[in-house]
């Protein structure tokens, strides 16, 4: 995951994409997979490639929850917002995570070391309540376990 | 019969049989998203390591899911002689060594982990799988291959009947295919239940070309994962269904729109499309028939309304995924304003089965008005969160008891949500309703796409309303004031009630909102308040107690409770104080107390010191 892509790199990356063929989303996904986020410049480059305006590209980026416009944090807890998790104390887990990390949902620490994100149920509800820690399911959580994980992500405590 | 297909299928079958006849033990390990969440990948690595370290004569194949999601990783072992296959559960990484030793090295069995005998004779200790309480009453047609074939190997699919329905349809006129679908009574599985044959006929009669098919694999309803199970378990069934639909509608290209939360389904669908293309089952001149049809696997990017068919079309077209104003309908102006048909994954997947079983054979499994089988996922306050396939018409209570394993800890059932955040909620007294379309429609709600969520007496209905309305608010596309402002206002009022600030006039306000939200353009806004509407009908008292008595009968709403230390000398309180994220637990000289202003009601202290911390009503 390179930090700052060059204009040339971006242009090469999206060179094959065409708006008329439904390529806006695939192009944005590819940009994000490569760089971790979609920068302002990436939106401009993509708009030129698609022969449209940055406003339209931004419109799509801002519509979808998955796109980031800032580099992702080094470590991330994604909190499952689904019903099975909610019914088993998921909301209390969210509250505890926010306080322990000192950031809101979909926020990240100022130094970019860690973040907290809203996750959607993907049907691993047998594990409820759960979070994804750096992409891996941690299930059958208690609030206490969630606090320990959050402290560990912050680099404190001994979870 | 198509000669080219006969050759392709028989070669595939030979390879499949050769692999199974190798005099080696065959292990089929379920590796779907649920299994991965429970250590499936580590189990796979440990199995492979153990087999090669011990030089054992066994092959490991990965498959989709049998539906025992809460018991993953599951795996079946087929004896080297090919006479007996046993399905096991909970083969977690730490159990692999024991498993390999007992089952592979000593050629024994592990009855305590066995779910049943899949093929061969049952024994005293292991009964046939079909007699397992979770399997009894299920009719596995869509899921016939799930757990039994490698979804990444088209030979496995072809050896088990894949594309036979399509080849049959190749010899039929488009009208005849549609006639067959209509006769079967196949209804859309994405929530609406609209007859698939009629929809296909709209596209067949379209006047412009090229025309498109879209497979809706957005599965946005949290708590539903039936489409995921199919895509991860038997992707070719979906491709075959789309091919049949293409023959009936003269579509030349199809899109499978999969939510980004399903990376494994995306990968497996891509592999399946690629392999189908290699065998000449997709692309130009399919099987020498002169027909052309190809597929694109398209990844979503996180938006619930993109599951609405016109939002989905906008999303592929490259715009914000806002549902369109209809008419025109997709069959007139869909993708790139060209004629398009949108169906759910499970709808397409049924088409090959209709051809294989015939309209009558397909529909006769269900005596209900809704025909065929339906996949359901069960979650929430249940002991067994999993996926099943049953004929329409089973009662919700039977589904909960038989397949969901009842509610945990013997807490009474309070109610359920039949299918998705827009579908509404019903109380336990309505759990005798059959799982079919009519009864839910009559109650101003709908059955939905198959994700049934149960909740028990510990849950506050006001919290559920706040949650589902909050979801609808977050996911509103923003087009209609009635939807984006309506959900926002409803959430404000619900929050106020949930925090003890409810007013006598609030319920009337909510009822007014429900009336105006009906005017929204798409079903998202129209159905967003369904949960509140039904909650006010069936659980009104709970709202009234909250408003009038400032009391939450479930003692679960954070705004309505306080945590109090009732055994200040309890040694567990030291740990509770250490875990409290806000340092609200203070040590008052060997005796602990909670500073209420700091407490965020997360309940961590009550978890670690259950005998010392008591939850009390805040206002009474
Ligand atoms: C807000 C909203 C979300 C929807 N999400 C889905 C979905 O995730 N999957 C789906 O198949 N249908 C979904 N639908 C229904 C689709 O609009 C459409 O009716 C369906 O894909 C048609 O397929 P079927 O006739 O095979 O059921 C949704 C509808 C609405 C209003
Ligand atoms: S609700 Fe959290 S995984 Fe389904």
């Amino acid at each position: 995951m390179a930090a700052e892509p060059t204009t040339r790199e971006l242009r090469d990356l999206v060179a094959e994409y065409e708006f008329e063929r439904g390529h806006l989303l695939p192009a944005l996904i590819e940009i994000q997979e490569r760089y971790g986020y979609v920068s302002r410049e990436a939106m401009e480059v993509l708009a030129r490639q698609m022969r449209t305006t940055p406003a339209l590209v931004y419109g799509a980026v801002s519509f979808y929850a998955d796109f980031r416009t800032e580099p992702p944090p080094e470590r991330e807890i994604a909190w499952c917002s689904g019903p099975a998790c909610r019914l088993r104390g998921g909301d209390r887990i969210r509250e505890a995570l926010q306080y322990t990390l000192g950031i809101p949902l979909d926020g990240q620490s100022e130094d970019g070391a860690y973040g907290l994100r809203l996750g959607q149920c993907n049907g691993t509800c047998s594990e409820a309540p759960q979070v994804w820690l750096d992409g891996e399911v941690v299930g059958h959580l208690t609030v206490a376990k969630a606090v320990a994980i959050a402290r560990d992500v912050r680099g404190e405590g001994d979870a | 019969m198509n000669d080219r297909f006969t050759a392709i299928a028989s070669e595939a079958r030979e390879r499949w049989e050769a692999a199974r006849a190798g005099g080696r033990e065959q292990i089929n390990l379920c590796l779907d998203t649920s299994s991965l969440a429970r250590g499936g990948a580590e189990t796979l690595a440990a199995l492979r390591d153990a087999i090669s370290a011990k030089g054992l004569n066994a092959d490991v194949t990965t498959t989709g899911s049998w539906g025992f999601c809460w018991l993953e990783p599951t795996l079946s072992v087929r004896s080297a002689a090919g006479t007996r296959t046993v399905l096991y559960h909970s083969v977690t990484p730490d159990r692999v060594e024991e498993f390999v030793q007992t089952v592979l090295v000593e050629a024994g069995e592990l009855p305590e982990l066995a779910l049943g005998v899949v093929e061969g004779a049952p024994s005293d200790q292991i009964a046939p799988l079909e007699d397992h309480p979770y399997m009894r009453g299920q009719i596995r047609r869509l899921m016939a291959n799930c757990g039994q074939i490698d979804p990444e190997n088209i030979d496995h699919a072809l050896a088990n009947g894949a594309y036979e329905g399509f080849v049959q349809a190749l010899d039929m006129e488009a009208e005849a295919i549609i006639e067959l679908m209509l006769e079967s009574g196949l209804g859309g599985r994405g929530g609406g239940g609209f007859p698939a044959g009629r929809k296909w006929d709209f596209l067949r009669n379209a006047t412009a070309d090229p025309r498109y098919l879209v497979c809706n694999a957005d599965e946005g309803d949290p708590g539903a994962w039936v489409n995921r199970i199919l895509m991860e378990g038997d992707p070719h069934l979906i491709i075959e269904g789309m091919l049949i639909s293409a023959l009936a509608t003269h579509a030349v290209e199809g899109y499978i729109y999969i939510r980004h939360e399903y990376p494994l389904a995306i990968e497996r669908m891509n592999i399946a499309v690629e392999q189908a293309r290699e065998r000449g089952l997709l692309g130009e001149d399919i099987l020498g028939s002169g027909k052309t049809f190809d597929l694109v696997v398209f990844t979503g990017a996180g938006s619930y309304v993109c599951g609405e068919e016109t939002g989905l079309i906008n999303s592929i077209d490259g715009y914000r995924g806002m549902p369109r104003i209809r008419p025109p309908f997709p069959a007139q102006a869909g993708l790139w304003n060209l004629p398009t048909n949108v169906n759910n994954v499970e709808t397409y997947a049924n088409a090959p089965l209709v051809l294989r079983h015939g309209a009558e054979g397909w529909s006769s499994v269900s005596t209900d008005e809704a025909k065929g089988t339906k996949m359901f996922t069960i979650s929430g306050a249940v002991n067994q969160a999993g996926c099943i396939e049953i004929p329409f018409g089973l009662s919700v209570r039977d589904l909960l008891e038989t397949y969901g394993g009842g509610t945990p800890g013997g807490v009474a059932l309070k109610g359920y949500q039949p299918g998705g955040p827009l579908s509404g909620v019903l109380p336990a007294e309505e759990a005798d309703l059959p799982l079919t379309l009519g009864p839910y429609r009559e109650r101003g709600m709908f059955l939905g796409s198959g994700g049934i969520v149960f909740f028990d007496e510990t849950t506050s209905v006001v919290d559920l309303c706040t949650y589902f309305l909050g979801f609808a608010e977050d996911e509103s596309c923003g087009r209609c004031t009635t939807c984006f402002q309506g959900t926002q206002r409803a959430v404000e009022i619900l929050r106020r009630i949930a925090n003890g600030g409810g007013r006598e006039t609030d319920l009337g306000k909510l009822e007014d909102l429900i009336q105006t939200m009906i005017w929204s353009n798409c079903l998202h806004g129209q159905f967003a308040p369904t949960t509140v509407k039904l909650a006010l009908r069936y659980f009104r008292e709970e709202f009234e107690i909250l408003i009038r008595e400032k009391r939450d009968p479930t003692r679960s709403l954070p705004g309505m409770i306080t945590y109090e230390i009732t055994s200040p000398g309890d040694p567990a309180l030291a740990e509770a104080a250490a875990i409290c994220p806000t340092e609200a637990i203070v040590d008052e000289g060997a005796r602990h107390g909670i500073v209420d202003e700091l407490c965020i009601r997360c309940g961590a202290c009550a978890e670690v010191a259950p005998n010392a911390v008591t939850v009390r009503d805040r206002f009474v």
Side-chain angles (χ1 to χ4, degrees), chain A residues 19-20 22 24-25 59 62-66 81-83 86-88 92 100 120-123 125 127 142-144 147 151, chain B residues 34 38 222-223 228 259-260 298 301-303 315-316 318-321 336 380 382 454 463 467 578-581 602 607:
Chain A
F19 185 75
E20 296 72 24
L24 183 65
L25 234 52
S62 63
F63 186 82
Y64 299 98
D66 195 35
S81 61
R86 173 91 177 200
L87 291 170
R88 294 183 180 224
R92 290 186 285 115
T100 311
Q120 297 290 350
C121 166
N122 66 348
C125 309
E127 309 311 289
T142 58
V143 181
V147 170
R151 284 182 182 156
Chain B
S34 296
R38 298 177 57 83
R228 167 167 83 65
R259 64 203 300 249
H260 79 98
F298 196 97
S303 157
S315 179
I316 297 178
Y319 300 103
R320 293 163 74 87
W336 299 288
V382 296
F454 291 93
D463 184 60
Y467 166 52
I579 203 71
C580 175
C602 73
E607 284 172 3

Side-chain angles (χ1 to χ4, degrees), chain B residues 44 70 147 152 219 234 237 256 261 299 303 355 360 390 405 414 441 448 478 525 576 584 608 618:
Chain B
L44 177 65
W70 79 102
E152 300 183 13
E219 193 153 63
D234 193 6
L237 189 66
I256 306 175
E261 289 90 346
T299 305
S303 157
L355 276 136
E360 169 65 22
I390 52 173
K414 182 165 178 171
R441 272 192 197 137
V608 297
R618 184 172 180 189

Side-chain angles (χ1 to χ4, degrees), chain A residues 80-86 121-126 128 130 132, chain B residues 222-223 225:
Chain A
C80 180
S81 61
C85 291
R86 173 91 177 200
C121 166
N122 66 348
T124 54
C125 309
S126 57
Q130 69 170 41
W132 292 266
Chain B
W225 65 98

